[in-house]
């Protein structure tokens, strides 16, 4: 059993290897310690000093005190060190934000030379500090959210001085992560993999662990009635109120694919509960103008989507393959008939979206993926 002191020591060995000092007027070393019990959002604190030893001693002591009180015996630890700083005026910064999609800002922000008030990229995005509302597509400074989070972080509600001639310090970090297993992982600091663990090679063990972990998480989102917990807005910890039935079907298909590899009674129970809800509540049965029976997945806004029927086929076919069950064959026939009815026999073109009320065409074409999904699902149902 690793203690938090062991985790700190293991991280320090890696930090000593990678961390280098910053130029004046900034502190030579700025370290961020993020600590969590693995269930709640991390508590973040930072330390700065003229030497790495002093910065580490200060930050590690405070992180250990917090972990002892809030995450005894099961702490996750991430340590970031500032490795580059770019100082700009607020006007230039705001102009740049107009080119950044909201919640996609990649970098930390310090409000002063000494880094007394500084926030990691993850803190900024997790607390909507550059979020202007659902109607604003790009990033924008939200002074209120800055104040709310700084109150929680520093005990004082701080609002950035946005005067055009004032300066703001944008920074990047290197980082390591250590879970309760005591294994230290490097975290990429730049590029498309920034913020992710550095994995030199995905071997069989690593891939299996990823599939198993992802499947178990997804299975826990299946509620007793078969409906998934669709998602949460992470900044505000509020559930997403909409429900995309196509995603329900594709998520169930993913669960079956994973169960074929990993097995497990809990995973199978989640799959069967989800399939029952899909068949009983989300799929409707119709008599087509030519008298044939067909089934269609109905989505939000009373829409029938070509891709919806396709992923339903994939989910039920895969389940039938891995279990040997033939219970869903009549439904598979009707779902496949629905796809066939959406295809023009002369041209092969597929209609993408119907109105569920009367099967009239709502959109002949919406997204190219539907065609590929339909072909895949149709092939699977005839195999």
């Amino acid at each position: 059993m690793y203690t938090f002191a062991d985790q700190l020591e293991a991280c320090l060995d890696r930090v000593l290897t990678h961390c280098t000092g910053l130029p004046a007027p900034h502190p030579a070393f700025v370290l961020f310690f993020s600590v969590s019990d693995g269930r709640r959002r991390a508590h973040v604190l930072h330390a700065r000093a003229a030497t790495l030893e002093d910065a580490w001693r200060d930050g590690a002591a405070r992180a250990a005190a917090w972990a002892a009180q809030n995450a005894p015996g099961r702490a996750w630890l991430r340590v970031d060190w500032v490795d580059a700083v770019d100082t700009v005026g607020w006007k230039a910064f705001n102009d740049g934000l107009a080119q950044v999609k909201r919640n996609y800002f990649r970098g930390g922000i310090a409000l002063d030379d000494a880094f007394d008030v500084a926030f990691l990229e993850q803190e900024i995005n997790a607390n909507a500090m550059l979020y202007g509302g659902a109607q604003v597509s790009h990033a924008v400074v939200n002074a209120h959210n800055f104040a709310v989070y700084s109150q929680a972080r520093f005990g004082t509600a701080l609002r950035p001085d946005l005067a055009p001639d004032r300066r703001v310090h944008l920074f990047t970090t290197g980082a390591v992560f250590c879970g309760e297993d005591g294994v230290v992982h490097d975290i990429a600091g730049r590029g498309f993999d920034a913020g992710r663990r550095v994995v030199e090679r995905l071997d069989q063990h690593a891939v299996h662990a990823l599939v198993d972990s992802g499947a178990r998480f997804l299975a826990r989102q299946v509620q007793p009635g078969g409906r998934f917990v669709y998602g949460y807005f992470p900044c505000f910890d509020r559930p997403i109120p909409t429900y995309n039935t196509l995603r329900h079907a594709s998520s169930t298909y993913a669960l079956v694919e994973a169960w074929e590899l990993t097995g497990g009674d809990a995973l199978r129970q989640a799959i069967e509960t989800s399939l029952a809800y899909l068949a009983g509540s989300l799929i409707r049965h119709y008599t087509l103008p030519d008298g044939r029976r067909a089934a269609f997945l109905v989505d939000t806004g009373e829409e029938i989507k070509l891709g919806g029927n396709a992923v339903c086929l994939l989910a039920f076919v895969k389940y039938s393959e891995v279990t040997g069950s033939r219970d869903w064959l009549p439904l598979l026939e009707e779902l496949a008939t629905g796809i066939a009815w959406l295809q023009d026999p002369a041209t092969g073109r597929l209609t993408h979206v119907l109105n569920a009320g009367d099967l009239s065409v709502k959109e002949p074409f919406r997204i190219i993926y539907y065609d590929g999904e339909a072909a895949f699902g149709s092939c699977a149902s005839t195999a």
Side-chain angles (χ1 to χ4, degrees), residues 14-326:
R14 198 70 59 87
V15 174
L16 288 170
T17 302
H18 297 302
C19 185
T20 57
L22 299 174
H26 311 297
F29 296 93
V30 181
L31 305 177
F32 290 81
F33 294 77
S34 303
V35 191
S36 170
D37 62 2
R39 298 180 178 87
R40 291 171 292 180
R41 183 174 289 186
H43 173 76
V44 183
L45 56 92
H46 76 288
R48 52 264 185 237
T51 67
L52 179 56
E53 291 76 11
D54 286 343
W56 183 270
R57 186 182 304 110
D58 175 29
R62 288 188 285 132
W66 189 92
Q69 182 174 354
N70 298 280
R74 191 182 189 276
W76 290 3
L77 170 66
R78 172 170 166 155
V79 182
D80 287 75
W81 56 90
V82 177
D83 59 9
V85 182
D86 182 25
T87 300
V88 299
W90 273 104
K91 182 181 185 307
F93 179 51
N94 285 324
D95 290 345
L97 289 180
Q99 309 303 315
V100 178
K101 185 178 179 181
R102 65 171 182 250
N103 297 325
Y104 279 78
F105 179 74
R106 304 309 307 266
I109 295 176
L111 301 185
D112 57 280
D113 291 345
F115 274 70
D116 290 333
V117 180
F119 307 97
L120 290 169
E121 168 196 329
Q122 292 78 12
E123 295 179 275
I124 294 165
N125 291 325
N127 293 282
M129 296 162 73
L130 297 178
Y131 175 73
Q135 304 307 312
V136 182
S137 62
H138 60 81
V140 60
V141 174
N142 187 313
H144 171 75
N145 288 350
F146 258 89
V148 169
Y149 182 62
S150 63
Q151 177 70 54
R153 175 92 141 75
F154 300 106
T156 304
L158 303 169
R159 293 175 181 267
D161 184 347
L162 303 179
D165 59 341
R166 298 290 291 179
R167 301 191 308 166
V168 59
H169 309 282
L170 313 180
F171 64 87
T172 58
T173 65
V176 292
F177 172 85
C178 183
E180 65 268 27
D181 60 1
V183 178
V184 178
H185 303 271
D186 289 319
I187 304 295
R190 291 182 176 80
F192 293 123
D193 286 328
R196 300 185 182 133
R197 294 184 186 183
V198 175
V199 179
E200 299 296 342
R201 181 176 178 272
L202 276 175
D203 57 21
Q204 180 179 344
H205 173 76
V207 172
H208 190 284
L210 289 171
V211 172
D212 181 56
S213 175
R216 286 188 286 108
F217 171 82
L218 193 55
R220 291 196 298 271
Q221 308 315 303
V222 180
Q223 301 172 89
R227 191 179 174 100
F228 285 88
V229 176
Y230 186 69
Y232 287 88
F233 294 109
C235 295
F236 311 109
D237 196 29
R238 291 200 300 261
I240 297 172
T242 57
Y243 200 80
N244 185 313
T245 62
L246 191 155
R247 299 294 171 236
H248 179 109
S250 60
S251 297
T252 307
Y253 172 53
L255 280 175
V256 184
E257 288 270 20
W259 181 66
E260 183 181 26
L261 175 68
T262 65
D265 293 339
L267 191 53
R268 178 166 182 168
Q269 180 60 52
I271 291 166
E272 292 178 347
T273 302
S274 176
L275 287 175
Y277 181 72
L278 182 60
S281 300
L282 304 180
I283 292 173
R284 293 184 197 171
H285 301 268
Y286 294 81
T287 299
L288 300 177
D290 60 10
R292 288 181 297 164
R293 293 286 293 170
F296 294 100
L297 178 68
V298 179
D299 209 343
T300 305
E302 288 291 290
E303 289 186 341
I304 289 172
K305 300 172 182 175
L306 172 64
N309 265 40
V311 290
C312 283
L313 279 176
L314 292 173
F316 284 111
V317 166
K318 191 64 181 179
Y319 176 81
S320 301
E321 286 179 348
V322 299
T323 63
S325 171
R326 301 179 66 82

